[in-house]
Amino acid sequence: MSQIHDYVIVGGGIVGLSTAYALSQRFPGASILLLEKEDVLAAHQTGHNSGVIHSGIYYKPGSFKARFAKAGNRSMVEFCQKHDIEHELCGKVIVATKVEELQHLDNLYKRGLENGLDVKRIGPDELKVIEPHVSGLEAIQVPSAGIVNYRQVCETFGRLVEEAGGTVRLGTKVLAIKEVGQQIHLETSKGDFTAKFLINCAGLHSDRVANMDGATADLKIIPFRGEYYELKPEKRHLVKHLIYPVPNPSFPFLGVHYTRMIGGHVEAGPNAVLAMAREGYKKTDFNLRDFAEVMGYKGFWTLSAKYWKEGLEEMVRSWSKAAFVRSLQQLIPEIQSDDLVPAPAGIRAQALKPNGELVDDFHIIQKTRSIHVCNAPSPAATASIEIGQHVASCVPLQ
Ligand SMILES: Cc1cc2nc3c(=O)[nH]c(=O)nc-3n(C[C@H](O)[C@H](O)[C@H](O)COP(=O)(O)OP(=O)(O)OC[C@H]3O[C@@H](n4cnc5c(N)ncnc54)[C@H](O)[C@@H]3O)c2cc1C
């Protein structure tokens, strides 16, 4: 008979790891096991993101995203300071380049104030001092935004969990879940495990893991690939900090931006196109099950019918470097196609409801013996410490 663990966490991305860490802090001595199907931590969303510590300006006041991003920004910085993880609070500018964006910029500024953030409206002259190569009509300066390498954060969470007596098992894929009496039995690629309580942080597969446990999520994860270019080293000087366009209020995650990364390189992107595989990092990657599930989902067709124009624009930007560059030139007119080389893509796990509505906020489903984190898109890396603490606070002592 295998050991019975107090808590088993599925997923070694930043949400699973921060949750395991929070549990080890809340319940010292508890038996904690984290199962990750890949051979390294942070192999999917967490290891392919922009590395931005967001401020929380975009999100609806009172939502999980707004509260956890603001608090998470602070706790992430404190965590990095405490554990010597390289990071930088370089600040960001959100730039209106067209007259019709000014109203959205104004709304965003008000939202920033409502969310209790230190934000500042600046004109073109002040913008030129911060970002000399950016051309804009007006901007918002957000000093609390920063950069970090989230893989390093994950490695630190993993080490702390193990130092506290927990176990992190890589290369172990959860295949089936069965509740038997007061226990949860997990069948995995490396044998069976038993838990008193299960926490699903499986990112791109969180809906499937929830379904294995019979949790009626009533949503489906749709994978959206985000493609990047990188600025050639001799052009990095064009970007001093983080430079963002004014987002479309319906899709705040759309809009390519410039990100200075830890390590000094500068990325431009990402766009957002439907991926034909949940882990399809290349344009040509295809997985029949993943693709068929999207095509057979009513919610996807309702969403597509409503927003086909935005979807088409993103696809054009995916296939045409010239179109991608045109978007980037709106912020930095002197950027040329030759200044950019392709960089690795990431895949966002975005939950979609059957009625075609994108699930905007973080979505957590609680059952008697399990919790499922079923929508944790951006800014979940920034907010990860708060999400982990929230999940741990919902979990009973075993
Ligand atoms: C392109 C892009 C840019 C982004 N930029 C930012 C940013 O700058 N700042 C920010 O705050 N957020 C950003 N985000 C969002 C952020 O990266 C994610 O919200 C966050 O990483 C989600 O973490 P996670 O642990 O939920 O998921 P993941 O990192 O995807 O981890 C889930 C893990 O579960 C594992 N798993 C799945 N199924 C199983 C199974 N059956 N058995 C065992 N293991 C399993 C997977 O292998 C994976 O490692 C970005 C996301 C993307 C894609």
Side-chain angles (χ1 to χ4, degrees), residues 11 13-15 36-37 44-46 49-50 52 174 228 376-377 380 382:
I14 201 161
V15 174
E36 165 55 50
K37 69 182 171 70
H44 291 292
Q45 294 179 90
T46 306
N49 68 20
S50 300
V52 175
V174 174
Y228 293 90
T382 303

Side-chain angles (χ1 to χ4, degrees), residues 269-323:
N271 59 357
V273 286
L274 178 70
M276 291 186 294
R278 290 198 184 197
E279 292 165 5
Y281 293 95
K282 292 202 272 324
K283 281 190 185 46
T284 47
D285 283 348
F286 180 79
N287 176 296
L288 183 60
R289 177 186 174 194
D290 294 350
F291 187 64
E293 270 188 26
V294 174
M295 292 297 122
Y297 190 56
K298 188 168 166 274
F300 173 73
W301 293 106
T302 312
L303 178 79
S304 309
K306 204 165 160 193
Y307 296 112
W308 63 270
K309 203 167 148 256
E310 286 83 354
L312 200 64
E313 275 170 16
E314 290 298 316
M315 274 160 70
V316 170
R317 252 202 295 260
S318 169
W319 286 100
S320 157
K321 187 179 181 187

Side-chain angles (χ1 to χ4, degrees), residues 10-17 35-38 40-54 150 172-175 201-206 209 212 224-226 228 244 257 270 279 345-349 362 373 376-383:
V10 184
I14 201 161
V15 174
L17 284 157
L35 302 175
E36 165 55 50
K37 69 182 171 70
E38 306 294 349
V40 288
L41 296 175
H44 291 292
Q45 294 179 90
T46 306
H48 290 89
N49 68 20
S50 300
V52 175
I53 308 177
H54 286 294
Y150 284 116
T172 309
K173 182 176 182 178
V174 174
L175 303 170
C201 304
L204 284 153
H205 301 277
S206 54
V209 174
M212 286 180 202
F224 287 102
R225 195 176 49 256
Y228 293 90
Y244 280 64
H257 49 82
E279 292 165 5
I347 312 269
R348 301 177 181 85
F362 301 142
V373 180
S378 187
T382 303

Side-chain angles (χ1 to χ4, degrees), residues 122-134 240-241:
I122 54 174
D125 294 342
E126 218 170 329
L127 178 61
K128 277 269 175 262
V129 175
I130 302 168
E131 291 290 351
H133 301 275
V134 171
K240 306 288 178 211
H241 313 88

